[in-house]
Amino acid sequence: MPTPTPPAPTTGVPTSVVHSTASGGRTVALTFDDGPGPATGQVLDLLAQYGVKATFCLIGKQAAANPATVKRILAAGHRLCDHSVDHPQPFAALPHDRAVHEIADAEQQIVQAGGPGTEVAWFRAPGGGFTPDNQRIAADHGLRPLGWSVDPRDWSRPGTPAIVSAVQTQLKPGGVVLLHDGGGDRGQTVAALRQLLPWLVAQGYRFDFPAS
């Protein structure tokens, strides 16, 4: 049996997964998952140094535990993405009610941590575990499902040179880069970002947000 097409969401937000920037052309969207974490401050410092705006895919429990960092992310002009309450995997195997909890409650935790006026634009399923059901749940809560086009697997700590090389090799104009500022020791990611930011500027890339 073919997978049924989910009904249209009530919010008007598309259910399809985004893999590109909002404006296209020679742009790149940097996204950071699993924070806020100990490395988030270093990431924010580097982004500020180059005037770069990025998207932070926050774990709800992490956001609730680190509201000052969430507020700092917002104050710097970055945008927020819902990355579930506590990152269960395999996310695609979750029953409907659990998926609703992970998506809706995480959004509430993030908004509460950010304070009045906080907006969350996207939902990224842990491990990229999207299904028609959880994509519809996200869209019904006003969240566009967010994927990526560049994955250096920095979460596995393959070494700074490997992270840098993977991004440089995989990136094409309009790409969405998956990186991590939480979920463990992110020293390699920070070191890679220190090399990648000037490289991206030298390559003529402009920094953008994902399509929404």
Side-chain angles (χ1 to χ4, degrees), residues 10-206:
T10 57
T11 59
V13 173
T15 60
S16 57
V17 180
V18 171
H19 299 282
S20 60
T21 60
S23 54
R26 201 165 182 78
T27 59
V28 58
L30 299 181
T31 67
F32 296 91
D33 282 16
D34 296 356
T40 305
Q42 293 172 281
V43 170
L44 289 169
D45 289 344
L46 282 169
L47 296 176
Q49 183 179 337
Y50 288 89
V52 172
K53 300 297 184 250
T55 302
F56 286 81
C57 298
L58 306 181
I59 301 293
K61 286 185 175 178
Q62 291 293 107
N66 298 277
T69 306
V70 178
K71 290 178 173 67
R72 182 183 170 193
I73 290 169
L74 290 167
H78 306 295
R79 294 189 186 173
L80 302 181
C81 169
D82 176 333
H83 197 40
S84 81
V85 171
D86 53 11
H87 207 278
Q89 289 185 280
F91 197 83
L94 296 185
H96 176 82
D97 290 350
R98 176 73 188 280
V100 170
H101 157 69
E102 289 288 341
I103 295 169
D105 290 6
E107 182 184 16
Q108 291 180 357
Q109 289 172 315
I110 294 166
V111 168
Q112 191 165 18
T118 297
E119 295 183 2
V120 183
W122 301 273
F123 167 70
R124 174 173 280 164
F130 286 109
T131 65
D133 183 56
N134 65 44
Q135 289 167 233
R136 184 178 65 251
I137 294 166
D140 281 342
H141 285 83
L143 308 170
R144 182 77 187 267
L146 175 59
W148 57 82
S149 62
V150 178
D151 181 9
R153 293 177 64 84
D154 65 314
W155 60 268
S156 67
R157 299 196 286 275
T160 298
I163 297 170
V164 172
S165 176
V167 173
Q168 292 176 340
T169 302
Q170 295 177 32
L171 181 62
K172 293 178 172 56
V176 177
V177 180
L178 170 61
L179 294 166
H180 292 76
D181 63 320
D185 180 356
R186 296 297 164 227
Q188 292 181 9
T189 301
V190 172
L193 192 63
R194 196 171 284 119
Q195 297 179 44
L196 285 168
L197 288 172
W199 178 81
L200 289 165
V201 171
Q203 294 295 310
Y205 276 94
R206 293 177 295 107

